[in-house]
Amino acid sequence: MAEFEITIISRAEWGARPPKSRVNMTSPVPYVIIHHSYEPDVCLNRSQCEKYVRGIQNFHMDTRGWDDIGYNFLVGGNGDVFEGRGWDVVGAQAGPDWNSCSIGICLIGNFTNKLPPKEAIAAGKALIPLGVEKKKVVTNYTLYGHRQVRPTECPGNDFFKLVTQWDHWVRDLQRNQR
């Protein structure tokens, strides 16, 4: 069971647009990939975070041409967790080799030279054992920072250093768990 109680704010609650299409995820997945949004920066209350999540969805759909917001979940600076594509839908968050076998968790903010707020870290970390409990993530999952699977600086230098200390983080890519 998750050590930190979280509430997932549904797509309807944050005002998501309907997806253009969706592909169902085959669960449980073997990988969890951690991101930061870079832009916008940290949101600290629910209404601000909802606005930021809608903005991220608009950017992904209207500018990048994706079917929906890319991430499976997003976490605000106050610890609010927002359903992106959720547990059961393939994301657009880590590239074609990883999207269908991973859950992408994005902490909202630019964490290149700072850490996310402690509430966001706790909620982001708590999502993973919740996924295991719900049988959406395998118990022996592998955790990566986005930069490990794509050429990017995401999830930011300071945050990535912290992620490397989390349970199940692995330095070298492993693709034999699927």
Side-chain angles (χ1 to χ4, degrees):
M1 181 164 232
E3 295 175 13
F4 178 88
E5 282 299 315
I6 58 172
T7 300
I8 297 175
I9 298 163
S10 72
R11 293 173 59 88
E13 290 174 300
W14 63 260
R17 293 164 52 184
K20 295 176 190 171
S21 70
R22 48 183 284 149
V23 176
N24 291 334
M25 180 89 78
T26 301
S27 296
V29 297
Y31 304 103
V32 175
I33 300 177
I34 304 297
H35 303 261
H36 74 156
S37 66
Y38 187 73
E39 290 180 347
D41 207 351
V42 181
C43 54
L44 298 173
N45 62 60
R46 182 162 169 177
S47 63
Q48 182 185 35
C49 291
E50 286 176 352
K51 179 180 175 186
Y52 284 10
V53 173
R54 286 191 299 271
I56 292 168
Q57 184 188 38
N58 289 338
F59 173 70
H60 287 178
M61 292 178 78
D62 299 338
T63 302
R64 293 207 169 148
W66 296 348
D67 291 336
D68 197 357
I69 195 166
Y71 310 109
N72 298 92
F73 295 94
L74 300 93
V75 182
N78 61 347
D80 283 344
V81 176
F82 297 85
E83 177 187 27
R85 294 194 184 198
W87 298 114
D88 298 316
V89 178
V90 173
Q93 44 87 22
D97 292 339
W98 298 92
N99 290 336
S100 65
C101 60
S102 66
I103 293 292
I105 300 171
C106 176
L107 275 66
I108 300 169
N110 177 352
F111 304 117
T112 300
N113 297 308
K114 65 183 176 190
L115 290 174
K118 66 182 186 322
E119 297 85 357
I121 294 168
K125 285 178 79 171
L127 258 176
I128 302 169
L130 180 62
V132 171
E133 180 184 316
K134 291 178 169 286
K135 301 191 181 339
K136 303 299 183 179
V137 176
V138 299
T139 30
N140 63 333
Y141 67 90
T142 299
L143 178 73
Y144 293 123
H146 187 202
R147 65 176 57 188
Q148 293 178 268
V149 300
R150 296 288 286 179
T152 178
E153 294 189 14
C154 180
N157 294 331
D158 284 4
F159 186 31
F160 180 69
K161 287 177 191 167
L162 179 65
V163 169
T164 66
Q165 299 168 27
W166 291 9
D167 291 342
H168 296 261
W169 179 80
V170 175
R171 178 184 314 276
D172 298 319
L173 293 184
Q174 301 174 359
R175 285 299 309 260
N176 59 355
Q177 294 183 5
R178 186 77 172 145

